[in-house]
Amino acid sequence: MFDFLRFGRSKAKTLSPEAASDYGRIFGWFIERGGERVGELEYIRWDDTSQFWHDYKVLWRNPEDARVHPNDWICDQKIILRNRRYLDVVEGSFLVGSARGDNNDILPIRGAYVPKERLRADPEFQI
């Protein structure tokens, strides 16, 4: 069922399910490297001051897995994002901005989303 607590019932009713979920971004992502889960991204917000970027709180399983600079992500071609709700949705082509926050735990991501056809195919994802 759609998570109204995160989005708000009145606003969600005016949007399509895919838009209300921000195209699956609100479900967050697992960070995988070489087939192993090394961290998670919890959705925070769309950054309306910088078009197309979405902020996530990043949680690394081990400190040595942490990537805080965009070049670290680009150089490590084995990193993929797997949607936490739709495990079959994998994103390997996305952009990462510089980590920020007190502990470098806020990460801007661009280009990671669940295709609308996949969202519409979910019988539980109805408003």
Side-chain angles (χ1 to χ4, degrees), residues 4-5 8 17-18 25 27 29-30 39 49 57 60 67 80 84 91 107 114 117 126:
F4 289 108
L5 296 176
E18 56 270 8
R25 292 178 183 98
F27 304 126
W29 301 89
F30 293 119
T49 62
K57 180 174 179 66
W60 296 103
R67 301 288 185 264
I80 62 165
R84 293 193 314 186
E91 187 63 65
L107 198 63
V114 175
E117 295 79 20
Q126 302 298 318

Side-chain angles (χ1 to χ4, degrees), residues 47-85:
D47 185 353
D48 62 352
T49 62
S50 59
Q51 191 176 19
F52 306 120
W53 291 92
H54 297 263
D55 289 338
Y56 292 86
K57 180 174 179 66
V58 63
L59 306 165
W60 296 103
R61 295 217 169 162
N62 296 306
E64 62 270 9
D65 290 323
R67 301 288 185 264
V68 297
H69 192 276
N71 287 343
D72 296 338
W73 291 76
I74 293 169
C75 293
D76 193 342
Q77 299 296 318
K78 297 177 186 172
I79 292 180
I80 62 165
L81 302 179
R82 183 177 303 276
N83 192 268
R84 293 193 314 186
R85 179 177 175 119

Side-chain angles (χ1 to χ4, degrees), residues 107-125:
L107 198 63
I109 304 276
R110 180 177 181 172
Y113 61 93
V114 175
K116 63 183 173 184
E117 295 79 20
R118 177 62 181 99
L119 291 167
R120 290 178 183 167
D122 183 349
E124 291 185 27
F125 193 72

